[in-house]
Amino acid sequence: MASPKQIIKNSAVVNDDWSVLRLQEGDTAETVIVPIGKTLVPLKVWLAQKTVLMHRADIGVWFASDERVEDLQDDVAKFSVIAVDFPKFGDGRGYTIAYRLRNRAGYRGELRAIGDVLRDQLFYMQRAGFDAFAVRADKDIHEALKSLKDFSITYQASTDEAQPLFRRVQRGA
Amino acid sequence: MYRYDQFDHQITAERVAQFRDQVRRRLLGELAEDEFRILRLQNGLYMQIHAYMMRIAVPYGMVSSDQMRMFAHIARKYDRGYGHFTTRQNIQFNWLKLQDAPDILADLATVEMHANQTSGNCIRNITSDEFAGVARDEIIDPRPYAEILRQWSTFHPEFGFLPRKFKFSITGATTDRAAIAVNDVGLQAVRNEQGEVGFRVLVGGGLGRTPFIGTEIASFIPWQHILTYSESIVRVFNEYGRRDNLYKARIKILVNAIGIDEFRRQVEEDWKFTKDGPCTVTQAELDRVAACFTAPAYEKLADVALPSDNKAFSNWVARNVKPHKVAGYASVVLSLKNAGIAPGDATEAQMDAVADLADKYSFGELRITHVQNLVLADVKQADLFALWEAAKASGLATPNIGLLTDIICCPGGDYCTLANARSITLAKAIDERFDDLDYLHDIGEIDLNISGCINACGHHHVGHIGILGVDKSGEEWYQITIGGNKGSPANIGKVIGRSFSFAQIPEVISRLLQVYVAKRDEGERFIDTLRRVGPDPFKEFVYATPVPEEAKLQMPDYELMAQGTPYDTPLYSPRF
Ligand code: HEM
Ligand code: SF4
């Protein structure tokens, strides 16, 4: 499966050479062959083939929306890219996965949103902890980039802002 | 009232700009309807049978007279001259055009209002006690906390796409007027032994297809921790709430499936990371917000004797005027339940009129109640007579608060695509059958709730008498429940038996009331008698003989339109 050629990363459109491995009919996590080259593998595949894959530097992992950050345990620090899949843009579990990866598991590498990633979700995704976005291929990625600036102020704390507004500024003006 | 600071203004303005661009892209076809849908819903915009409907947030039900005038302006400029106040203390406009929606939001922003998160699978507008700040049984004023929660939940980045909508309700009084037990999270202010303020937290209440009364997850969460604790509840729900079945996606299903103890364990497991962290509410922030809710400049007055020679006025005082904690003052409920008008509807002229009344008699503020009426909270007792005359002139002085005709009712089949049956039209039929005020006063307090389908927008489960529209081979039928109660204590009503036709319902209600009148003890309300004698005598009498259909109601032209209401209501939705 080819991944989009361009992604948004650190608020810019950049070329990307990672591909996303998705299990096809008949594949199992234990037996699927992980191609050579930079590959984001499903969490299940990582867990099943860890002893082999851990020697490769070009492996990242992606979470399905019903998977748990705890399942990756201490492996988090091994990766330079972790992705979270949005099967439908209305499935909001990925936001909490991102929050947990950043705030509980202490992950500092690239955190990428993949799947049904649309412009109007990017602002929240960025706040929850994503810094890379594989915008759905049929959408204009340069247009999507604009949405990261939809709001200049936010009320609550999240991954991007440890402090809620009432501690960040003098309110009441 | 809460007043926006520069930050609130800016966030609201940026939201309007964002939505304006989304509407532009939708109109250009860049956004497909299924992608746009979720965005418009987060701005309160529904697509209904006839037009777009917008639900505007009225945080915890408080509106200023200027905001009320803005509603009148929207009704005039963009709608058909009226609006509908809802059971979540919001207002809805039913006849809007998509193109106008950004302008409406921009107009609202000028009076510090918005439609954020009034729909969609996110944290909804937070509801509270309509007598907050003035009720005699209040422990603390819940509104500062409601506002702090509003800001925390507004555009919360993690919680914009929850399994399902998520509703908070908060009360600061000993009597629960905010229906906290039927919300996803219910907060009840309490003081501990040291006199410190905190919240008892209920979780997993809700109506709809599977009604549940909320369960206590914590008996005392100190107020400083209310944001972090709430956040952990919603986070666990976001992860584990079901997403495979729309009807099993509410938190009540999750809590019931794993049990309250396991749910609490998960919440506390998460909370330990954030408790005492930066999201702990500061005294300075509480003070800043609470300063917006200080008592108005009451005059030093004594309670006054009201004129007793006018029966109509006395009736109104008995039903629509409520005690106030300050001597010489009273709270007044303006009834939006008038024969032939959909419960909760108000015309633009009425909105302007109540805004004027608020300016003249109640410090320029109003509240919207969850039974779809309006409240002037701080009226001098000496002004009551003049206020009554003015309210009467605007058709807002029906003395029926808490009585049978103070019906709570959803839009139903006349408007709603999901309906099995008409609600508004049925409310009108009931209203007509029981139009004798003396009889209504004799029957006394009773909650009658109507929902057109199991989504329960009319809260039929918690009506003393609940009416639910059901579908039998494509025809509209109604199921009756009795014994529900919306708070203190909350109860889910029980079905009495097989369902009835539209034209039978007024007779069914009449029979239920006859049993009450025959069985009641001195001073008992309908619900008290029902609790004492049990449901059986009621059931037996209702089904003892065939229930006749009321002839007039069977006529095909029995509809609101024929009665010259201010707007056209189609009899049936295209679904029928
Ligand atoms: C015609 C437009 C409307 C539509 C299509 C609609 C649709 C729905 C649906 C589908 C639900 C169930 C959601 C769930 O169980 O998760 C629901 C619940 C609810 N609706 Fe509406 N509704 C409409 C109008 C209203 C109005 C006008 C009110 C207020 C008067 C209202 C108040 C409520 C309330 C309070 C609930 C929550 C009941 C609960 O706790 O489960 N709705 N609505
Ligand atoms: S209860 Fe059903 S019929 Fe009534 S408004 Fe809600 S969804 Fe529509």
Side-chain angles (χ1 to χ4, degrees), chain B residues 135-148:
Chain B
R136 286 193 172 157
D137 65 341
E138 192 161 89
I139 300 165
I140 55 148
D141 186 344
R143 293 171 299 173
Y145 302 95
E147 176 59 27
I148 287 169

Side-chain angles (χ1 to χ4, degrees), chain B residues 48 86-87 92 164-165 167 207 250 411 416 455 457 459:
Chain B
Q48 297 294 24
T86 79
T87 53
Q92 295 180 178
R164 205 70 183 86
K165 60 183 167 185
K167 297 177 177 180
L207 299 173
R250 296 288 290 271
C416 174
N455 287 315
C457 302
H459 297 184

Side-chain angles (χ1 to χ4, degrees), chain B residues 472-527:
Chain B
K472 276 204 223 162
S473 357
E475 282 177 44
E476 68 173 359
W477 288 84
Y478 296 90
Q479 197 179 59
I480 307 290
T481 53
I482 56 174
N485 199 37
K486 64 183 179 243
S488 302
N491 263 90
I492 305 289
K494 297 236 166 34
V495 178
I496 61 167
R498 53 174 200 282
S499 46
F500 299 97
S501 71
F502 181 89
Q504 286 177 312
I505 294 291
E507 173 63 16
V508 172
I509 309 265
S510 166
R511 289 186 182 186
L512 291 169
L513 296 176
Q514 286 172 50
V515 178
Y516 158 62
V517 170
K519 303 267 178 199
R520 69 180 162 189
D521 284 346
E522 184 70 31
E524 266 186 345
R525 298 170 304 158
F526 176 86
I527 186 72

Side-chain angles (χ1 to χ4, degrees), chain A residues 68 96 152 155-156 167 171, chain B residues 8 10 14 151-152 278 280:
Chain A
R68 312 277 314 162
T96 290
S152 59
Y155 282 120
Q156 58 297 94
R167 287 183 196 260
R171 294 212 57 183
Chain B
D8 299 300
Q10 187 163 344
E14 289 176 351
Q151 298 192 13
W152 159 77
T280 310

Side-chain angles (χ1 to χ4, degrees), chain B residues 410-413 416-421 423 451-458:
Chain B
C410 79
C416 174
T417 45
L418 304 174
N420 293 323
S423 311
S451 304
C453 80
I454 194 64
N455 287 315
C457 302

Side-chain angles (χ1 to χ4, degrees), chain B residues 110-128:
Chain B
T110 64
V111 292
E112 306 186 359
M113 298 204 98
H114 57 73
N116 299 331
Q117 297 179 191
T118 53
S119 179
N121 296 333
C122 49
I123 300 174
R124 299 292 189 86
N125 186 35
I126 292 160
T127 55
S128 188

